Amino acid sequence: MYAGGLDNFIVRFDAEGSRMWATYYGGEGVESDGELVIAPGGGVAWAGYTTSAMGIATPGAHKTFLAGSRDALLARFDADGGLTWATYFGGSEDDQRGSVAVDPYGNFLLVGITNSMGAIATQGAYQSALAGEYDLFLAKFGPDGARLWSTYYGGPALESSNTTGNLAVHGPDIYVAGKTKSLTGLTTPDAFQPDAGANEDGFVARFDQGDLGGACQADADCTIGFCADGVCCDAPCGGDDPDDCQTCSAALGAPVDGTCTLLAADTTCRPAAAECDAPELCTGDGAACPADSPVSDDTPCRDGLCLGGVCEPATTTTTTTTTDTSTGSSDTTGEPQVPTGSTSTSDDAPTGTAPDAPSSTGAPDPTTDASSETDTAGQTDGGCGCSTGHGPMDMSLVTFAALALARRRRRR
């Protein structure tokens, strides 16, 4: 929807010239005509300047408010025309855009002019302060719109670059062109033309992003940027945090040394600390490593199964079978069984009879006449295959029983 003042618009056509989508972009003030660059993965990035205090920046942007009379802006749109992110860029005075470019790693470069004395340069910038009436600014933003670094560039007079096409990127190198009235502060030794030739000259400058990619141990070792993962990097890139999903080192997964890059999906960012701890993997679209978590419960481990991140011993069951020889039935339980007196494991004694008692079919009672019927009056069954009563006992049987008892005790 048209917001007022002077809005910008972006429209996409297919190869046959049919409109695919179109959108307004702007706030209640004035937005300049801008420059587009095709973004990796589809969509575009648009650079311009604005006087609108609202309707420009997205939540969480590098800068969410208008700081001066006008600010530069950078906005990213997806392949369907949706606004992915957008930010203001500038200080308390006048900031204008020149051009936008994208590097091979999906980072965006924005160049413009400024007379703001603050909020432009980052730590370790090539030129940390405004040198003249207007200086160039050069800023680098990551694929997510976060500012990586920015610098002034200029001499004591006026530099301008508010025309399109004055910015190019080749690998890690950045090229900027413009006009200047400054007599000093621009050229390097052995330059093609070290001295100004007229009232206003053109210039071209190459930035190699300092010693990005060189070995370092601290930020002070880098002429520009930060020391991360052992190399000079274009961004803090997680610093010394080993558990994140970004790196500035080619040895750790970056395309080149010196450029902070998100690690690919499924890259391990936090190894497993124990057999029941799960390794965490990067998602491919964020710098934070997922929260530490254990493996799933019931995952086999050395001593049993994992439960809540701890290896718990497995529970074992001992099965014991007890056979009742008097009935032939058996009892199987998961608990150890204590044998009863009805079960014998000895092979010496027949089942169901006591080994120390004479058989009921043994020698006849000497008090009984073999020719007469057996007198059972006053006798009872002793339950062991013998009879008890009041008649005299053959002493040989007593001696036999005593010997059998002694042998039984020795077996125990």
Side-chain angles (χ1 to χ4, degrees), residues 47-407:
Y49 71 80
T50 181
T51 64
S52 297
M54 297 181 294
I56 300 298
T58 51
H62 158 65
K63 187 178 180 185
T64 58
F65 60 93
L66 180 71
S69 58
R70 54 184 170 181
D71 278 355
L73 66 86
L74 181 63
R76 167 81 186 268
F77 294 83
D78 63 27
D80 297 320
L83 180 62
T84 303
W85 53 260
T87 183
Y88 293 97
F89 181 79
S92 59
E93 300 298 328
D94 182 25
D95 310 284
Q96 302 179 37
R97 70 99 188 100
S99 292
V100 61
V102 61
D103 72 10
Y105 318 112
N107 302 301
F108 297 96
L109 283 303
L110 176 67
V111 69
I113 61 172
T114 180
N115 66 350
S116 295
M117 299 183 66
I120 298 295
T122 52
Q123 175 186 347
Y126 166 75
Q127 181 179 323
S128 59
L130 181 71
E133 301 175 35
Y134 274 86
D135 282 354
L136 264 67
F137 69 77
L138 176 63
K140 183 176 181 178
F141 295 83
D144 59 354
R147 181 180 65 166
L148 301 178
W149 54 259
S150 53
T151 184
Y152 292 97
Y153 179 68
L158 171 69
E159 281 72 45
S160 63
S161 67
N162 56 344
T163 57
T164 61
N166 63 331
L167 176 66
V169 178
H170 180 70
D173 297 327
I174 304 167
Y175 297 85
V176 177
K179 297 184 295 183
T180 182
K181 292 184 177 183
S182 296
L183 301 180
T184 60
L186 291 182
T187 61
T188 53
D190 300 322
F192 169 73
Q193 183 181 330
D195 300 316
N199 183 44
E200 185 175 68
D201 281 359
F203 70 87
V204 60
R206 173 184 173 185
F207 293 84
D208 64 1
Q209 304 190 62
D211 51 1
L212 294 182
C216 63
Q217 295 182 341
D219 288 349
D221 297 335
C222 304
T223 58
I224 188 171
F226 309 81
C227 186
D229 297 323
V231 297
C232 292
C233 187
D234 61 359
C237 208
D240 295 325
D241 183 5
D243 296 340
D244 64 359
C245 290
Q246 54 189 339
T247 184
C248 213
S249 167
L252 299 178
V256 295
D257 287 327
T259 297
C260 186
T261 307
L262 292 178
L263 293 175
D266 298 330
T267 303
T268 299
C269 54
R270 186 183 302 109
E275 59 181 335
C276 288
D277 180 51
E280 278 67 51
L281 306 179
C282 297
T283 62
D285 57 6
C289 186
D292 194 14
S293 60
V295 299
S296 301
D297 287 349
D298 297 329
T299 298
C301 55
R302 182 179 56 190
D303 296 327
L305 298 175
C306 293
L307 182 63
V310 177
C311 187
E312 298 286 354
T315 302
T316 58
T317 302
T318 301
T319 302
T320 303
T321 302
T322 304
T323 303
D324 186 344
T325 57
S326 64
T327 63
S329 62
S330 61
D331 179 27
T332 302
T333 68
E335 299 295 333
Q337 300 293 316
V338 179
T340 63
S342 62
T343 302
S344 173
T345 60
S346 173
D347 295 331
D348 298 332
T351 304
T353 59
D356 54 353
S359 172
S360 60
T361 59
D365 190 334
T367 61
T368 304
D369 187 353
S371 63
S372 63
E373 295 180 1
T374 302
D375 183 7
T376 59
Q379 298 181 8
T380 59
D381 185 359
C384 58
C386 58
S387 300
T388 60
H390 300 290
M393 180 179 292
D394 188 337
M395 293 305 295
S396 65
L397 295 178
V398 174
T399 302
F400 176 78
L403 290 173
L405 181 60
R407 285 197 301 270

